[in-house]
Amino acid sequence: MPHPLTRVADGTPLGLLAIGTTSLASSLIQIGARGTSLPFLIMPLILFYGGVGNFIAGIMQYINKDTWGATTFITVACYFFQLGYIFVPSSGVLTAYANSPEEFDNALGFVLLSFTIVILIITASSLKTTVFTTASLGTLTVMFVLFTAGRLTHNSDILKAAGWIGIVVAFEVYYAALALMVGRDMVGFDFPVWPYALIGKNRTATVTAVVTEGKIEGTSPEEAV
C-alpha cells in the first residue's frame, strides 16, 4: 500500500538558505573579520541550521522523488554534522590533536579532499538543473579545493582565500533561494537562473526553475512572450 504522503513542499530554498548562512558566518571568521578567529560560537549554527536544516531539506526532496536534490542536501548535512562534531570541544577531537597541529591539518585535509571529490560529482550531475546552479557549485568546488590545499600545506593565506570564496558562495546560494521563493506574482518579474532545458530554444524565457522529479519546471518560452 503506497504511503499517503506522496508530495511535500519544495525543500530546496531551506537547504540553500542553510548553506548560504552557514557559509557566510564561517567564512567571515575564516578571513578574520573584525579580529575573529575562534570558530566555537558558530558550531550551533553549523550543526542545527547547516546540518539539521539540510537534512530536512534532503528528506523533503527524497519524498518528492528528487534524487539529485536529496543526495546533495543530505551530503551537505553530513558534512556540516562531522565538521561541527570535530570542533565541538566536548567531542575530544581537538584535545586528541592538541600536541600535533600539523597532523590535525593533514587529517582534516584528507577529509576535505574526500568531500571535494563528492562536490565535483554533484557539480557534474547538476547539468540537468540550471546554469546558475552549476556555476554556484563550481564556486563551491573552488572553495573546497582551497580549503583542502590550505590544510595540507598548512598555509593560512590559502585558507583565507578559501574564506573569501566562501562569501561569494553564500551570496550565490542566497540569490538562488530568492529566485525560488520570489516569483513574478510577487514582484512582477522572475529572477533569471537559466535552466538548461531552455538553452537552444529560439526564444529566451526568464524563469524561476524548480528541480522536481528530475525535471525543470518553469515558464515556457511561449508563455514568457
Side-chain angles (χ1 to χ4, degrees), residues 136-212:
S136 300
L137 286 169
T139 309
L140 183 65
T141 302
V142 173
M143 184 193 77
F144 266 90
V145 168
L146 290 175
F147 270 129
T148 301
R151 288 294 180 179
L152 292 177
T153 61
H154 320 295
N155 190 314
S156 60
D157 291 333
I158 296 178
L159 290 174
K160 184 171 289 189
W164 283 108
I165 297 296
I167 294 173
V168 175
V169 170
F171 284 100
E172 283 180 333
V173 296
Y174 277 151
Y175 175 87
L178 181 67
L180 286 170
M181 298 176 69
V182 179
R184 185 180 297 273
D185 57 334
M186 296 179 64
V187 294
F189 62 91
D190 293 315
F191 292 90
V193 289
W194 304 287
Y196 286 107
L198 297 181
I199 292 178
K201 298 290 185 181
N202 292 329
R203 283 179 284 183
T204 303
T206 301
V207 302
T208 300
V210 180
V211 180
T212 306

Side-chain angles (χ1 to χ4, degrees), residues 55-77:
F55 189 80
I56 292 173
I59 294 301
M60 293 169 72
Q61 296 310 95
Y62 176 80
I63 295 173
N64 285 331
K65 298 183 166 88
D66 176 13
T67 303
W68 186 86
T71 302
T72 299
F73 289 127
I74 292 177
T75 296
V76 172

Side-chain angles (χ1 to χ4, degrees), residues 77-119:
C78 292
Y79 169 76
F80 282 131
F81 281 139
Q82 65 87 29
L83 186 65
Y85 180 81
I86 289 173
F87 285 97
V88 169
S90 60
S91 71
V93 175
L94 295 178
T95 302
Y97 285 98
N99 297 321
S100 306
E102 287 194 3
E103 185 178 355
F104 173 80
D105 276 350
N106 289 332
L108 184 55
F110 294 146
V111 172
L112 290 168
L113 176 62
S114 301
F115 271 100
T116 300
I117 295 171
V118 174
I119 295 300

Side-chain angles (χ1 to χ4, degrees), residues 8-22 43-62 69-81:
V8 297
D10 182 20
T12 305
L14 170 61
L16 292 174
L17 289 173
I19 293 171
T21 303
T22 308
M43 288 306 108
L45 178 67
I46 288 176
L47 288 169
F48 294 108
Y49 199 21
V52 176
N54 273 283
F55 189 80
I56 292 173
I59 294 301
M60 293 169 72
Q61 296 310 95
Y62 176 80
T71 302
T72 299
F73 289 127
I74 292 177
T75 296
V76 172
C78 292
Y79 169 76
F80 282 131
F81 281 139

